[in-house]
């Protein structure tokens, strides 16, 4: 098992890229920290109850809470698998926790998208609450409006995808997560792709870079 980290702002398309690649390659596993947290919130687990207020406001949940979840997933992932780690680490302290697990990190790929197009992207974003597939009303519409192509569930707008929370999430991204670009650059494992080429080309560029 090894790990490829997806770096990028909220709405940069990390989840779409990782989801596409994992559904086309049996040895790629998409692990999204946001999906893990939303799952815990929906189930009402103790971690979910603690996380809910942070997630709703677009703030980072405490490092220990999300680190414990990610460590569990790493521990249960074995064999010839590359984990596409989407949303973790989100700050330098989490990157250090990840290193301490000893799991080999192959690369960190930055999906580069300017802030100016993020708001539009997120405004059109629709998500499947069941299988986690992502859509966009214009750029990546489902075959039947409002219905997931993959599993038939009704698509939803994420609670934290409203304009005010998106603004806060971008501030958090620049303050907390952007320093990871220099962190992985120093280690010589940073790669960058242009995240504004459309879903198919973004995924192909990512696969080539990772
Ligand atoms: P995402 O789906 O990656 O946009 O994450 C949604 C929300 O989950 C974020 O705005 C945070 O509140 C929380 N979250 C996800 N990943 C992390 C993380 N690594 N550390 C702290 N909070 C996180």
């Amino acid at each position: 098992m090894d790990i490829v980290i997806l770096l990028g702002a909220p709405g940069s398309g990390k989840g779409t890229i990782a989801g596409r690649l994992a559904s086309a390659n049996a040895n790629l596993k998409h692990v999204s920290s946001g999906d893990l947290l939303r799952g815990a919130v929906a189930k009402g687990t103790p971690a979910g109850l603690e996380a809910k207020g942070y997630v709703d406001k677009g703030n980072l949940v405490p490092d220990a809470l999300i680190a414990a979840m990610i460590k569990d997933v790493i521990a249960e992932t074995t064999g010839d698998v590359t984990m596409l780690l989407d949303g973790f680490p989100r700050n330098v302290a989490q990157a250090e926790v990840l290193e301490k697990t000893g799991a080999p990190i192959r690369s960190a790929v930055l999906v580069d998208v300017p802030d100016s197009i993020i708001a539009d992207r997120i405004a059109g974003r629709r998500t499947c609450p069941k299988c986690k597939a992502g859509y966009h009303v214009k750029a990546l519409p489902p075959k039947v409006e409002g219905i997931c192509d993959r599993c038939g569930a009704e698509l939803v707008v994420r609670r934290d995808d409203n304009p005010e929370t998106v603004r806060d999430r971008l501030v958090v991204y620049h303050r907390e997560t952007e320093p990871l670009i220099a962190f992985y650059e120093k280690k010589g494992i940073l790669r960058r792709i242009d995240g504004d080429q459309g879903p198919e080309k973004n995924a192909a560029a990512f696969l080539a870079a990772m």
Side-chain angles (χ1 to χ4, degrees):
M1 195 275 280
D2 67 356
I3 294 177
V4 170
I5 295 165
L6 291 101
L7 287 178
S12 60
K14 302 185 299 294
T16 305
I17 290 171
R20 279 178 104 88
L21 293 177
S23 52
N25 298 277
N27 61 340
L28 297 181
K29 173 174 173 172
H30 178 199
V31 175
S32 153
S33 54
D35 283 346
L36 291 174
L37 288 165
R38 282 183 289 277
V41 170
K43 279 196 201 125
T45 66
L49 293 177
E50 190 185 345
K52 188 173 186 307
Y54 296 95
V55 174
D56 282 352
K57 289 199 196 80
N59 291 325
L60 296 186
V61 307
D63 291 340
L65 192 161
I66 184 64
M69 288 180 165
I70 296 292
K71 280 187 197 164
D72 284 349
V73 182
I74 290 175
E76 73 200 19
T77 307
T78 52
D80 183 20
V81 174
T82 294
M83 185 184 291
L84 302 178
L85 195 47
D86 160 17
F88 187 95
R90 237 11 185 253
N91 58 31
V92 171
Q94 293 181 7
E96 283 163 353
V97 169
L98 182 61
E99 282 193 344
K100 287 209 184 95
T101 67
I105 300 170
R106 191 202 295 192
S107 56
V109 184
L110 173 67
V111 181
D112 210 0
V113 176
D115 278 9
S116 54
I117 64 173
I118 293 278
D120 247 17
R121 280 217 188 161
I122 292 190
R125 180 148 84 171
R126 300 291 181 270
T127 310
C128 175
K130 203 166 150 212
C131 78
K132 316 298 175 209
Y135 298 88
H136 187 279
V137 289
K138 281 188 234 139
L140 191 61
K143 291 192 184 92
V144 179
E145 195 184 323
I147 302 294
C148 179
D149 292 348
R150 279 219 304 243
C151 76
E154 208 164 308
L155 301 178
V156 298
V157 176
R158 271 171 50 175
R159 287 166 60 90
D160 58 347
D161 272 353
N162 64 76
E164 300 81 59
T165 311
V166 169
R167 264 197 301 278
D168 292 345
R169 284 161 63 203
L170 277 172
V171 170
V172 170
Y173 171 74
H174 289 301
R175 191 182 59 218
E176 303 279 335
T177 311
E178 224 165 40
L180 290 176
I181 298 172
F183 181 91
Y184 288 114
E185 204 154 38
K186 262 195 215 132
K187 294 185 184 295
I189 57 169
L190 184 81
R191 312 279 179 268
R192 292 169 194 265
I193 65 157
D194 170 10
D196 195 20
Q197 314 176 63
E200 205 166 314
K201 285 191 180 158
N202 287 348
F206 188 94
L207 191 60
M210 69 180 238

